[in-house]
Amino acid sequence: MFDPEAPPELAVSRWFNTTDPLTLAGLKGKVVVLTAFQMLCPDCVEHGLPQVRRLRQNFSPEEVAIVGLHTVFEHHKAMTVDALEAFLHEYRWPFPVGVDTADGEGMPKTMAAYEMQGTPTLLLFDREGRLRRHYFGRPNDIMLAAEIMAMAIEDKGAPREQAAGIEKKLARVLANPEHGHQHDHEHGEDCGCGHDHGHDGHDHHHHHPPGNAR
């Protein structure tokens, strides 16, 4: 069973735009925004990547880490590492980008571990490394920024109860709070971890809903 309190480490075969490999463990203490994309996915290029570029421009890198993950599950011959390097150079994406480790012709390893439905997928991790949001498609800019701010004001090393309290305040403020992809895990309904505990019952195949999400 997937446990958002202890999400799996990223499986990355190569990094771009960073001198040192990144790990979720090494990024603890920061809010982490991870966008999983494919360079030939229209919604990624038109919406997902520009959205995280805006986040990178407006949040301090000392507090919020923006990370890209090129997770290829189709058109493998076209989306090579060399092609990705040229894509990153031409578009000048200003954040580290990792290559999701391939697993034959199937889903790459990080994509499979996080049960992603396709691309673009956006993951939000809090300062303690807990997975707090999992969005497939296009989360609203204002809502996303509010969620990042809410996680950023949580104290480092704060107990789950503080996260739960801030979550409740955020839910009251947002007109239409969305919580993306939810995960079942071991805690009960009153554990105070700040997560919702339902599951939407979706499958994890790569269907492509309206809006060009791949």
Side-chain angles (χ1 to χ4, degrees), residues 30-62:
K30 298 182 179 183
V31 177
V32 177
V33 182
L34 184 145
T35 182
F37 71 97
Q38 295 186 107
M39 57 182 289
L40 295 184
C41 163
D43 212 32
C44 298
V45 177
E46 295 171 11
H47 300 283
L49 290 168
Q51 181 177 63
V52 293
R53 186 199 292 272
R54 293 191 294 273
L55 295 176
R56 175 64 180 81
Q57 292 169 341
N58 288 283
F59 284 98
S60 166
E62 301 302 316

Side-chain angles (χ1 to χ4, degrees), residues 63-194:
E63 301 292 333
V64 179
I66 308 296
V67 181
L69 183 70
H70 194 232
T71 183
V72 179
F73 59 86
E74 58 187 353
H75 307 308
H76 294 81
K77 292 182 179 179
M79 290 188 281
T80 64
V81 173
D82 288 344
L84 173 64
E85 185 173 19
F87 171 80
L88 297 175
H89 174 76
E90 290 299 321
Y91 281 87
R92 290 176 168 76
W93 302 113
F95 43 83
V97 173
V99 177
D100 199 355
T101 300
D103 190 10
E105 292 296 309
M107 293 173 64
K109 292 185 177 181
T110 307
M111 184 179 200
Y114 280 84
E115 303 175 346
M116 297 182 194
Q117 295 176 267
T119 56
T121 287
L122 190 139
L123 307 178
L124 291 184
F125 301 85
D126 65 16
R127 294 185 185 274
E128 293 302 301
R130 298 174 294 209
L131 179 64
R132 296 277 288 275
R133 295 290 188 273
H134 180 156
Y135 290 110
F136 174 37
R138 308 180 197 174
N140 176 274
D141 274 10
I142 294 175
M143 179 196 69
L144 181 59
E147 291 178 336
I148 293 170
M149 286 295 296
M151 292 181 203
I153 64 176
E154 294 172 9
D155 297 327
K156 297 178 182 179
R160 296 192 191 101
E161 289 76 13
Q162 184 190 80
I166 293 175
E167 288 274 359
K168 291 176 182 177
K169 290 181 180 178
L170 180 65
R172 290 198 297 268
V173 170
L174 292 176
N176 184 27
E178 300 175 21
H179 296 287
H181 173 125
Q182 310 297 339
H183 296 282
D184 289 311
H185 57 94
E186 296 175 354
H187 309 292
E189 292 296 331
D190 299 318
C191 72
C193 69

